[in-house]
Amino acid sequence: MPRLGFLHTAQVHVATFEALVRAVDVGSTAGHLVDPDLLTRARTEGPTADVEAATLQLLRRLVDEGADVVVCTCSTLGPVAESVGADLPVPVLRVDRPMAREAVRGGARVAVVAALEPTLGPTRELLADEARRAGVSPTLVEVVVPEAWAAFERGDTDDYLRQVAAAARAVADRADVVVLAQASMAGAAEGLADLPITVLASPLLAVRHAVAAAYGAEPVGDSA
């Protein structure tokens, strides 16, 4: 029975990803670790050696607890998790890579909606990496909604998702694909189904990919 390990920086993600694992594959189980301070440190310090060491320690703990695949659900920490997890005995995936691969293949103009400024850099680099692999050169349109993150931090999920959805709508006429850069934004996609363009959120795509990897499929990003 495959076991997926999830590293989160917000408690709210536990229920979301637990439900997604059950929906994608009833034969898989999930384990979760939550460390909000890790995101705070990454935002204030950047990807320092201490942040890398703390991330690696948590990834190892998930592996020690039996994970066959580990997913970092924080977009800001995704590059760190991929890098430090490269030598672990199981695949370590970042939540937004499957989404990025789909985005660059979806059109020439990709809009990125983020609630945290530090998320933009890693997302931009990830999209560039996947574009290179796909042999395409999309134009990026970046939108930051800092007021939305303030709503998320005070626990007002409805306002958070409302602001994210509004930002996506505002940029839709300049894009072929909208990327909701943070896993916490997934709920906003449900209210954007009427848009004439593709709106991508990372959680479901990541879980589908992680389950496939647990069964032995090659993880996205492992081949050049």
Side-chain angles (χ1 to χ4, degrees):
M1 179 181 293
R3 182 170 178 81
L4 311 183
F6 293 93
L7 173 57
H8 309 292
T9 54
Q11 184 66 36
V12 68
H13 292 320
V14 174
T16 298
F17 282 88
E18 187 72 31
L20 285 172
V21 170
R22 290 197 302 269
V24 171
D25 180 38
V26 295
S28 293
T29 62
H32 307 268
L33 288 179
V34 182
D35 189 343
D37 291 339
L38 193 55
L39 174 57
T40 301
R41 292 172 60 187
R43 289 174 61 190
T44 57
E45 303 170 20
T48 63
D50 287 345
V51 169
E52 290 180 348
T55 302
L56 180 57
Q57 182 179 24
L58 293 170
L59 296 176
R60 280 178 171 157
R61 181 174 162 188
L62 286 165
V63 174
D64 291 344
E65 292 175 356
D68 300 297
V69 176
V70 175
V71 180
C72 175
T73 66
C74 175
S75 299
T76 301
L77 286 167
V80 174
E82 276 193 335
S83 177
V84 302
D87 294 329
L88 292 178
V90 305
V92 176
L93 315 176
R94 55 186 292 179
V95 70
D96 47 359
R97 187 173 284 279
M99 176 179 65
R101 170 169 284 190
E102 191 165 326
V104 300
R105 295 170 186 264
R109 302 173 301 168
V110 178
V112 179
V113 178
L116 278 173
E117 183 79 33
T119 299
L120 282 180
T123 303
R124 186 186 305 125
E125 293 169 5
L126 175 61
L127 287 165
D129 182 42
E130 288 299 331
R132 176 186 62 80
R133 295 171 186 272
V136 297
S137 300
T139 298
L140 298 188
V141 180
E142 299 176 344
V143 180
V144 183
V145 197
E147 296 84 2
W149 188 250
F152 181 83
E153 289 191 311
R154 66 175 180 265
D156 192 344
T157 302
D158 289 343
D159 187 37
Y160 172 62
L161 297 178
R162 180 190 61 76
Q163 292 191 53
V164 169
R169 285 189 180 279
V171 77
D173 62 347
R174 292 185 283 150
D176 302 302
V177 180
V178 173
V179 167
L180 303 180
Q182 292 158 243
S184 55
M185 296 177 167
E190 299 173 7
L192 298 169
D194 62 304
L195 290 179
I197 62 172
T198 301
V199 178
L200 296 175
S202 60
L204 178 58
L205 293 171
V207 170
R208 285 174 175 166
H209 180 67
V211 168
Y215 281 105
E218 181 181 274
V220 168
D222 279 10
S223 61

